[in-house]
Amino acid sequence: MTDPCVRQWQDIAPADAVDTDLEFDMTITAPLNEGGERCPWPWEPQQLVGAPLGQYHCGYCGAMVIAGVPHIDYRELGRASA
Ligand SMILES: [Zn+2]
């Protein structure tokens, strides 16, 4: 069930998402963390290109993500509980 009015969060640039909170904004998709919760602001990991962090916990939803790579969606991995 895909609503054509819903935008993909990946299609939105971080600079355009400053005032966005995906935990409540259902007009935009959001990746899920391991607990099946929507990430409020998933644009952080992809901006850390070159950061020597590797894997770290997203500061917004706590999901394990990878610096320099778009936020992982645990729903796609089949590991989210919701
Ligand atoms: Zn997150």
Side-chain angles (χ1 to χ4, degrees):
M1 188 174 74
T2 304
D3 187 334
C5 295
V6 174
R7 291 187 293 167
Q8 302 292 314
W9 73 266
Q10 296 97 328
D11 292 341
I12 300 168
D16 294 330
V18 173
D19 295 325
T20 301
D21 184 340
L22 296 187
E23 190 174 0
F24 302 104
D25 188 345
M26 297 300 165
T27 66
I28 305 172
T29 63
L32 302 183
N33 66 13
E34 295 92 324
E37 300 166 322
R38 289 166 62 90
C39 181
W41 210 83
W43 290 276
E44 183 183 74
Q46 69 197 54
Q47 298 187 85
L48 297 174
V49 178
L53 282 172
Q55 289 195 336
Y56 75 102
H57 287 284
C58 173
Y60 296 89
C61 73
M64 184 62 75
V65 294
I66 305 169
V69 175
H71 196 296
I72 294 169
D73 185 346
Y74 283 87
R75 172 175 38 204
E76 292 177 354
L77 297 180
R79 285 164 53 183
S81 59

